[in-house]
PDB file of all heavy atoms in Angstrom:
ATOM      1  N   ARG A 114      10.257 -15.322 -13.974  1.00 98.00           N
ATOM      2  CA  ARG A 114      11.138 -15.954 -14.951  1.00 98.00           C
ATOM      3  C   ARG A 114      11.272 -17.451 -14.669  1.00 98.00           C
ATOM      4  O   ARG A 114      11.176 -18.284 -15.587  1.00 98.00           O
ATOM      5  CB  ARG A 114      12.521 -15.284 -14.921  1.00 98.00           C
ATOM      6  CG  ARG A 114      13.483 -15.808 -15.985  1.00 98.00           C
ATOM      7  CD  ARG A 114      14.922 -15.554 -15.595  1.00 98.00           C
ATOM      8  NE  ARG A 114      15.292 -16.248 -14.363  1.00 98.00           N
ATOM      9  CZ  ARG A 114      15.591 -17.535 -14.301  1.00 98.00           C
ATOM     10  NH1 ARG A 114      15.563 -18.289 -15.392  1.00 98.00           N
ATOM     11  NH2 ARG A 114      15.917 -18.089 -13.146  1.00 98.00           N
ATOM     12  N   ALA A 115      11.472 -17.800 -13.401  1.00 98.00           N
ATOM     13  CA  ALA A 115      11.637 -19.211 -13.051  1.00 98.00           C
ATOM     14  C   ALA A 115      10.366 -20.006 -13.338  1.00 98.00           C
ATOM     15  O   ALA A 115      10.428 -21.133 -13.840  1.00 98.00           O
ATOM     16  CB  ALA A 115      12.006 -19.336 -11.573  1.00 98.00           C
ATOM     17  N   ALA A 116       9.209 -19.410 -13.039  1.00 98.00           N
ATOM     18  CA  ALA A 116       7.947 -20.108 -13.298  1.00 98.00           C
ATOM     19  C   ALA A 116       7.774 -20.383 -14.788  1.00 98.00           C
ATOM     20  O   ALA A 116       7.355 -21.474 -15.190  1.00 98.00           O
ATOM     21  CB  ALA A 116       6.775 -19.289 -12.763  1.00 98.00           C
ATOM     22  N   ALA A 117       8.109 -19.400 -15.614  1.00 97.00           N
ATOM     23  CA  ALA A 117       7.978 -19.575 -17.061  1.00 97.00           C
ATOM     24  C   ALA A 117       8.973 -20.604 -17.592  1.00 97.00           C
ATOM     25  O   ALA A 117       8.609 -21.499 -18.366  1.00 97.00           O
ATOM     26  CB  ALA A 117       8.164 -18.238 -17.769  1.00 97.00           C
ATOM     27  N   ASP A 118      10.223 -20.490 -17.160  1.00 97.00           N
ATOM     28  CA  ASP A 118      11.268 -21.374 -17.694  1.00 97.00           C
ATOM     29  C   ASP A 118      11.100 -22.825 -17.247  1.00 97.00           C
ATOM     30  O   ASP A 118      11.514 -23.753 -17.950  1.00 97.00           O
ATOM     31  CB  ASP A 118      12.652 -20.861 -17.269  1.00 97.00           C
ATOM     32  CG  ASP A 118      13.045 -19.581 -17.995  1.00 97.00           C
ATOM     33  OD1 ASP A 118      12.289 -19.159 -18.896  1.00 97.00           O
ATOM     34  OD2 ASP A 118      14.088 -18.997 -17.644  1.00 97.00           O
ATOM     35  N   HIS A 119      10.474 -23.038 -16.093  1.00 97.00           N
ATOM     36  CA  HIS A 119      10.359 -24.394 -15.554  1.00 97.00           C
ATOM     37  C   HIS A 119       8.923 -24.911 -15.566  1.00 97.00           C
ATOM     38  O   HIS A 119       8.647 -25.983 -15.028  1.00 97.00           O
ATOM     39  CB  HIS A 119      10.926 -24.449 -14.134  1.00 97.00           C
ATOM     40  CG  HIS A 119      12.396 -24.140 -14.070  1.00 97.00           C
ATOM     41  ND1 HIS A 119      13.366 -25.105 -14.226  1.00 97.00           N
ATOM     42  CD2 HIS A 119      13.055 -22.965 -13.885  1.00 97.00           C
ATOM     43  CE1 HIS A 119      14.562 -24.534 -14.125  1.00 97.00           C
ATOM     44  NE2 HIS A 119      14.401 -23.239 -13.911  1.00 97.00           N
ATOM     45  N   GLY A 120       8.007 -24.152 -16.168  1.00 97.00           N
ATOM     46  CA  GLY A 120       6.633 -24.610 -16.300  1.00 97.00           C
ATOM     47  C   GLY A 120       5.895 -24.759 -14.985  1.00 97.00           C
ATOM     48  O   GLY A 120       5.139 -25.725 -14.790  1.00 97.00           O
ATOM     49  N   LEU A 121       6.070 -23.785 -14.073  1.00 97.00           N
ATOM     50  CA  LEU A 121       5.461 -23.864 -12.750  1.00 97.00           C
ATOM     51  C   LEU A 121       4.282 -22.902 -12.626  1.00 97.00           C
ATOM     52  O   LEU A 121       4.313 -21.799 -13.181  1.00 97.00           O
ATOM     53  CB  LEU A 121       6.499 -23.518 -11.675  1.00 97.00           C
ATOM     54  CG  LEU A 121       7.747 -24.398 -11.631  1.00 97.00           C
ATOM     55  CD1 LEU A 121       8.751 -23.820 -10.646  1.00 97.00           C
ATOM     56  CD2 LEU A 121       7.367 -25.820 -11.252  1.00 97.00           C
ATOM     57  N   PRO A 122       3.242 -23.267 -11.872  1.00 97.00           N
ATOM     58  CA  PRO A 122       2.165 -22.322 -11.582  1.00 97.00           C
ATOM     59  C   PRO A 122       2.712 -21.118 -10.820  1.00 97.00           C
ATOM     60  O   PRO A 122       3.652 -21.253 -10.018  1.00 97.00           O
ATOM     61  CB  PRO A 122       1.189 -23.122 -10.720  1.00 97.00           C
ATOM     62  CG  PRO A 122       1.544 -24.549 -10.955  1.00 97.00           C
ATOM     63  CD  PRO A 122       3.000 -24.586 -11.263  1.00 97.00           C
ATOM     64  N   HIS A 123       2.118 -19.959 -11.045  1.00 97.00           N
ATOM     65  CA  HIS A 123       2.621 -18.727 -10.431  1.00 97.00           C
ATOM     66  C   HIS A 123       1.470 -17.942  -9.823  1.00 97.00           C
ATOM     67  O   HIS A 123       0.389 -17.834 -10.413  1.00 97.00           O
ATOM     68  CB  HIS A 123       3.335 -17.863 -11.481  1.00 97.00           C
ATOM     69  CG  HIS A 123       3.874 -16.576 -10.923  1.00 97.00           C
ATOM     70  ND1 HIS A 123       3.157 -15.401 -10.929  1.00 97.00           N
ATOM     71  CD2 HIS A 123       5.066 -16.300 -10.341  1.00 97.00           C
ATOM     72  CE1 HIS A 123       3.887 -14.449 -10.371  1.00 97.00           C
ATOM     73  NE2 HIS A 123       5.043 -14.965 -10.012  1.00 97.00           N
ATOM     74  N   ALA A 124       1.698 -17.410  -8.637  1.00 98.00           N
ATOM     75  CA  ALA A 124       0.725 -16.540  -7.981  1.00 98.00           C
ATOM     76  C   ALA A 124       1.386 -15.210  -7.654  1.00 98.00           C
ATOM     77  O   ALA A 124       2.563 -15.165  -7.269  1.00 98.00           O
ATOM     78  CB  ALA A 124       0.186 -17.187  -6.707  1.00 98.00           C
ATOM     79  N   GLU A 125       0.618 -14.142  -7.805  1.00 97.00           N
ATOM     80  CA  GLU A 125       1.109 -12.792  -7.513  1.00 97.00           C
ATOM     81  C   GLU A 125       0.339 -12.254  -6.310  1.00 97.00           C
ATOM     82  O   GLU A 125      -0.868 -12.042  -6.373  1.00 97.00           O
ATOM     83  CB  GLU A 125       0.892 -11.885  -8.726  1.00 97.00           C
ATOM     84  CG  GLU A 125       1.362 -10.453  -8.524  1.00 97.00           C
ATOM     85  CD  GLU A 125       1.222  -9.632  -9.798  1.00 97.00           C
ATOM     86  OE1 GLU A 125       1.748 -10.085 -10.837  1.00 97.00           O
ATOM     87  OE2 GLU A 125       0.595  -8.565  -9.758  1.00 97.00           O
ATOM     88  N   HIS A 126       1.041 -12.068  -5.210  1.00 98.00           N
ATOM     89  CA  HIS A 126       0.443 -11.559  -3.977  1.00 98.00           C
ATOM     90  C   HIS A 126       0.633 -10.048  -3.953  1.00 98.00           C
ATOM     91  O   HIS A 126       1.744  -9.552  -3.828  1.00 98.00           O
ATOM     92  CB  HIS A 126       1.111 -12.208  -2.764  1.00 98.00           C
ATOM     93  CG  HIS A 126       0.401 -11.962  -1.466  1.00 98.00           C
ATOM     94  ND1 HIS A 126       0.096 -10.693  -1.009  1.00 98.00           N
ATOM     95  CD2 HIS A 126      -0.069 -12.830  -0.521  1.00 98.00           C
ATOM     96  CE1 HIS A 126      -0.509 -10.783   0.155  1.00 98.00           C
ATOM     97  NE2 HIS A 126      -0.634 -12.068   0.468  1.00 98.00           N
ATOM     98  N   TRP A 127      -0.461  -9.326  -4.067  1.00 98.00           N
ATOM     99  CA  TRP A 127      -0.376  -7.867  -4.076  1.00 98.00           C
ATOM    100  C   TRP A 127      -0.007  -7.347  -2.699  1.00 98.00           C
ATOM    101  O   TRP A 127      -0.255  -8.003  -1.674  1.00 98.00           O
ATOM    102  CB  TRP A 127      -1.680  -7.258  -4.560  1.00 98.00           C
ATOM    103  CG  TRP A 127      -1.948  -7.523  -6.007  1.00 98.00           C
ATOM    104  CD1 TRP A 127      -1.085  -8.071  -6.911  1.00 98.00           C
ATOM    105  CD2 TRP A 127      -3.158  -7.259  -6.721  1.00 98.00           C
ATOM    106  NE1 TRP A 127      -1.685  -8.161  -8.146  1.00 98.00           N
ATOM    107  CE2 TRP A 127      -2.958  -7.669  -8.055  1.00 98.00           C
ATOM    108  CE3 TRP A 127      -4.400  -6.731  -6.369  1.00 98.00           C
ATOM    109  CZ2 TRP A 127      -3.945  -7.550  -9.033  1.00 98.00           C
ATOM    110  CZ3 TRP A 127      -5.381  -6.606  -7.333  1.00 98.00           C
ATOM    111  CH2 TRP A 127      -5.159  -7.002  -8.656  1.00 98.00           C
ATOM    112  N   ILE A 128       0.563  -6.140  -2.664  1.00 97.00           N
ATOM    113  CA  ILE A 128       0.995  -5.532  -1.406  1.00 97.00           C
ATOM    114  C   ILE A 128       0.043  -4.431  -0.958  1.00 97.00           C
ATOM    115  O   ILE A 128       0.256  -3.795   0.072  1.00 97.00           O
ATOM    116  CB  ILE A 128       2.429  -4.976  -1.529  1.00 97.00           C
ATOM    117  CG1 ILE A 128       2.506  -3.895  -2.614  1.00 97.00           C
ATOM    118  CG2 ILE A 128       3.414  -6.104  -1.818  1.00 97.00           C
ATOM    119  CD1 ILE A 128       3.868  -3.220  -2.724  1.00 97.00           C
ATOM    120  N   GLY A 129      -0.989  -4.194  -1.732  1.00 96.00           N
ATOM    121  CA  GLY A 129      -1.969  -3.152  -1.437  1.00 96.00           C
ATOM    122  C   GLY A 129      -2.856  -2.971  -2.649  1.00 96.00           C
ATOM    123  O   GLY A 129      -3.350  -3.944  -3.223  1.00 96.00           O
TER     124      GLY A 129
END
Side-chain angles (χ1 to χ4, degrees):
R114 184 202 62 79
D118 289 355
H119 297 272
L121 301 173
H123 180 268
E125 180 175 307
H126 191 306
W127 292 351
I128 61 176

